[in-house]
Amino acid sequence: MLPVVLVVSVLAAVLGVWALVFAVNDRAVVLRQLIAGGVVEGALVVQALVLAIEQLTGSFTGDPVLMWGYLLVAMMLLPGAALAAFVERTRWSSVVLVVAAFTIIVMELRMWQLWQA
């Protein structure tokens, strides 16, 4: 599970820093950032598949409700940020993307803690 958590966290960090640069420069989110968000979302889907396989094989011993809750909320953050980016075409769309990306990183760290328990 660690490789998937690391990949998702690194992708989210790159997206978050990219959006932060745009927010500081008073720029709105661009389509390439939304595509990058789709890549992060794809990595989250892979993580969901890994978690499902681990649960089916019985190697995941943590709280499945809590783990799936974190994962599903993390999967909803970027589509919500993308929707906000389409509605709000100012620097605040970049700020929303920054918050979503760094929230995913925190949730990934928490999921890693749950995986270790």
Side-chain angles (χ1 to χ4, degrees):
M1 184 70 167
L2 178 61
V4 178
V5 169
L6 285 176
V7 167
V8 172
S9 297
V10 167
L11 289 173
V14 168
L15 178 61
V17 169
W18 187 11
L20 182 63
V21 169
F22 270 56
V24 168
N25 290 325
D26 199 24
R27 295 181 57 194
V29 170
V30 295
L31 181 61
R32 288 179 302 215
Q33 289 172 321
L34 296 179
I35 292 170
V39 171
V40 175
E41 193 72 24
L44 286 167
V45 169
V46 170
Q47 184 176 16
L49 292 174
V50 169
L51 177 60
I53 291 168
E54 293 292 326
Q55 278 187 322
L56 290 174
T57 60
S59 60
F60 178 71
T61 58
D63 183 6
V65 173
L66 192 57
M67 185 67 133
W68 280 105
Y70 274 111
L71 188 56
L72 292 175
V73 169
M75 291 175 79
M76 289 188 290
L77 284 173
L78 286 175
L83 181 64
F86 279 123
V87 172
E88 182 67 35
R89 298 298 308 152
T90 64
R91 75 179 287 201
W92 293 106
S93 62
S94 294
V95 172
V96 168
L97 191 57
V98 168
V99 170
F102 286 114
T103 301
I104 288 173
I105 294 170
V106 171
M107 294 179 89
E108 288 294 316
L109 292 173
R110 181 65 181 130
M111 283 187 269
W112 176 246
Q113 289 174 343
L114 291 173
W115 196 267
Q116 297 303 313

